[in-house]
């Protein structure tokens, strides 16, 4: 029988006798079961978080920091078990799972070091006015399946540091590593401060609509983000939404094809392309298009697609059947339109596992579905451009505004173009680098608010201005 993983509610690992199966996307075998929760369990978790909030909000920040650092230590001490479990449920190759599990404690520790100091608004003979930050209360965290552990800790850490308590819901596709972490940290934090409950997608709207939840912090698709915003409006809950992206990479004519080919490849294909900030549209200047597209294609042919638990795998399976079908549909659409494939495009439906071959398209039109939509799979359209003004317009021609990149041997030129892109993050000669100390968030339909850094921490707080009248009589 598959291992059963329990939920964390009020400091206890609990189950309700109803179970959901969790499947390994590399072979479609059931590798674990998690509780199928509904309103009753959510009510218990929210009540525990509410009760814990009464005392946690008064705990000195040094103690809250110590609890976070203890959580980070517990994750770091169990690195190997956790990364193997993450590969088994998520599909990413071991090296990338090690990266995610290794980054989790680093993110917690970095965020634990943040603080929000009081600000003096007025210090005069008439009054002393200061702004302080107070925690919003009970937070509901809802996370997706592509980086289940990172997304969980980047919500838990600032919530707890600010003095909030949290009820976290992992994706039904990838709850196992998060529940194992919940078990490891259960005795590192007071009961009720961190609760982790699992269920189908239908548990999400119950959280959004719960009258005793004060804030929703969500990472996932733009479509779900809109529903959350709507659901949260009834109680005017605070919201932070990290949503989808269709990031453009722009390669200028002075970029060295030999130097950038491999990096461009991984900016699209890390985690089988299932990254909100993956490069999903690559614009290459016509002067170097042929040489660079060939170099990327040559490199792509050296990368192995397979089970992430096998040594040598560079690109794992798609995480779940629904996403696999969607990526296959986009590839089929490209075929139906007669677009040219440089690499891949042939999905083998026989055998088990959700494998899509590395697929690179040669200059499809701007309105191709595979260009205009977020693919979220191992698919990379390369497109030719002639002028800077044209490529900036094409890059910005999207409802999304998450991130982007510019590749050039002239960093000043890179920055000049970066400043014209309508996205929350832009890299020059780099990709996928996010810092827990810098605000991360999307423009347009890629999000609402930010995570990380002081700006992200502020989203778990209200401002409170305290003004004291002074009656100093002028001498
Ligand atoms: P999703 O929106 O389908 O699901 C995300 C989470 O929301 C899951 O836990 C799901 O159970 C829950 N959910 C589903 N319906 C809900 C509802 N009506 N109300 C409340 N919760 C609900 O997203 P996904 O397919 O798991 O993840 C892929 C998407 O996430 C992509 O669009 C990707 O770009 C985006 N993403 C964004 C970021 C970012 O930081 N901006 C990071 C990672 C992924």
């Amino acid at each position: 029988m598959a291992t059963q993983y329990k939920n964390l509610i009020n400091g206890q690992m609990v189950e309700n006798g109803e179970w959901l199966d969790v499947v390994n996307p590399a072979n479609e075998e059931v590798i674990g079961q998690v509780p199928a929760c509904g309103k009753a369990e959510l009510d218990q978790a929210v009540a525990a978080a509410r009760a814990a909030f009464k005392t946690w909000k008064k705990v000195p920040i040094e103690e809250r920091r110590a609890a976070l650092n203890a959580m980070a230590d517990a994750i770091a001490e169990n690195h190997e078990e956790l990364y193997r479990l993450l590969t088994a449920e998520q599909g990413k190759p071991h090296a990338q799972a090690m990266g995610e599990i290794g980054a989790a404690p680093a993110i917690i520790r970095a965020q634990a070091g943040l603080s929000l100091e009081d600000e003096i608004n007025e210090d005069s003979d008439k009054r002393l006015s200061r702004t302080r930050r107070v925690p919003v209360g009970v937070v509901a965290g809802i996370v997706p399946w592509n980086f289940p552990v990172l997304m969980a800790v980047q919500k838990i850490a600032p919530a707890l540091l600010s003095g909030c308590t949290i009820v976290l819901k992992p994706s039904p596709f990838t709850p196992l590593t998060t529940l194992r972490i919940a078990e490891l940290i259960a005795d590192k934090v007071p009961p009720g401060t961190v609760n982790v409950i699992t269920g189908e997608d239908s548990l999400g709207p119950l959280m959004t609509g719960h009258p005793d939840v004060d804030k929703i912090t969500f990472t996932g698709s733009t479509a779900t983000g809109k529903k959350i915003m709507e659901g949260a409006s009834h109680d005017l809950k605070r919201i932070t939404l990290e949503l989808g992206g269709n990031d453009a990479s722009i390669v200028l004519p002075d970029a060295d094809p030999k130097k950038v080919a491999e990096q461009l490849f991984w900016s699209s294909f890390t985690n089988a392309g299932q990254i909100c900030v993956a490069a999903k549209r690559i614009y290459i200047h016509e002067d170097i298009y042929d040489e660079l597209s060939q170099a990327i294609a040559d490199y792509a042919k050296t990368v192995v697609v397979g089970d992430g638990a096998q040594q040598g795998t560079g690109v794992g399976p798609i995480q779940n059947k629904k996403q696999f079908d969607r990526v296959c549909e986009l590839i089929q659409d490209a075929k139906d339109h007669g677009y040219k494939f440089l690499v891949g495009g042939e999905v083998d439906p026989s055998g088990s596992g959700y494998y899509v071959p590395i697929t690179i398209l040669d200059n499809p039109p701007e309105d191709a579905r595979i260009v205009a939509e977020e693919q979220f799979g191992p698919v990379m359209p390369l497109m030719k451009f002639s002028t800077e003004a044209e490529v900036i317009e094409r890059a910005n021609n999207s409802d999304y505004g998450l991130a982007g990149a510019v590749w050039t041997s002239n960093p000043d030129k890179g920055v000049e173009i970066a400043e014209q892109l309508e996205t929350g993050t832009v890299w020059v000669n780099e990709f996928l680098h996010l810092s827990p100390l810098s605000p991360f968030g999307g423009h347009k339909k890629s999000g609402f608010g930010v995570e990380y850094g002081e700006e992200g921490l502020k989203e778990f707080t209200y401002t409170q201005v305290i003004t004291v009248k002074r009656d100093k009589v002028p001498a």
Side-chain angles (χ1 to χ4, degrees), residues 32-278:
Q33 288 189 316
V34 299
C37 295
K39 186 177 178 309
E41 295 80 5
L42 175 63
D43 284 346
Q44 288 166 20
V46 172
R50 176 62 59 196
F53 178 61
K54 288 197 179 77
T55 41
W56 183 248
K57 66 179 175 185
K58 295 183 187 153
V59 166
I61 192 155
E62 292 72 26
E63 267 181 54
R64 301 206 288 251
R65 281 201 179 105
L68 288 181
N69 287 326
M71 276 174 44
D73 291 346
I75 296 172
E77 282 158 16
N78 292 276
H79 179 83
E80 181 168 353
E81 177 199 342
L82 293 172
Y83 85 69
R84 288 183 184 280
L85 183 57
L86 180 60
T87 291
E89 68 171 335
Q90 204 283 332
K92 64 187 62 177
H94 273 162
Q96 293 172 34
M98 281 181 199
E100 181 169 349
I101 299 297
I107 284 175
I108 296 173
R109 289 188 188 113
Q111 301 220 72
L114 294 170
S115 56
L116 296 176
E117 306 298 335
D118 289 3
E119 286 171 30
I120 301 298
N121 308 309
E122 182 178 342
D123 184 0
S124 69
D125 288 349
K126 290 189 177 147
R127 65 184 62 82
L128 175 64
S129 165
R130 115 189 118 90
T131 302
R132 64 192 283 262
R133 292 274 168 179
V134 294
V136 293
V138 174
V139 175
I142 303 178
V143 298
W145 45 258
N146 61 340
F147 284 87
V149 173
L150 282 192
M151 303 293 144
V153 301
Q154 77 190 39
K155 294 180 173 8
I156 294 172
L160 259 55
L161 185 71
S162 67
C164 294
T165 56
I166 187 164
V167 178
L168 184 98
K169 186 192 89 59
S171 165
F173 294 116
T174 52
L176 303 183
T177 319
T178 312
L179 289 182
R180 179 67 185 118
I181 289 174
E183 193 178 2
L184 292 168
I185 65 169
D187 63 351
K188 311 289 183 236
V189 289
T193 51
V194 179
N195 306 274
V196 183
I197 61 171
T198 48
E200 305 266 19
D201 282 353
S202 53
L203 183 58
L206 295 178
M207 296 172 86
T208 312
H210 199 290
D212 212 19
V213 166
D214 302 296
K215 176 187 167 73
I216 315 281
T217 172
F218 170 77
T219 302
S221 63
T222 296
T224 308
K226 287 181 190 173
K227 290 183 195 158
I228 288 185
M229 195 165 192
E230 205 179 323
S233 72
H234 298 291
D235 300 314
L236 288 180
K237 289 183 175 71
R238 271 44 189 172
I239 52 170
T240 303
L241 306 175
E242 295 291 356
L243 308 177
N246 194 3
D247 296 5
S249 253
I250 298 173
V251 191
L252 299 184
D254 64 359
D256 178 353
K258 282 182 212 62
K259 228 167 133 182
V260 301
E262 196 175 324
Q263 297 183 75
L264 281 167
F265 176 87
W266 288 113
S267 72
S268 274
F269 289 98
T270 302
N271 202 27
Q274 303 162 116
I275 308 188
C276 54
V277 288

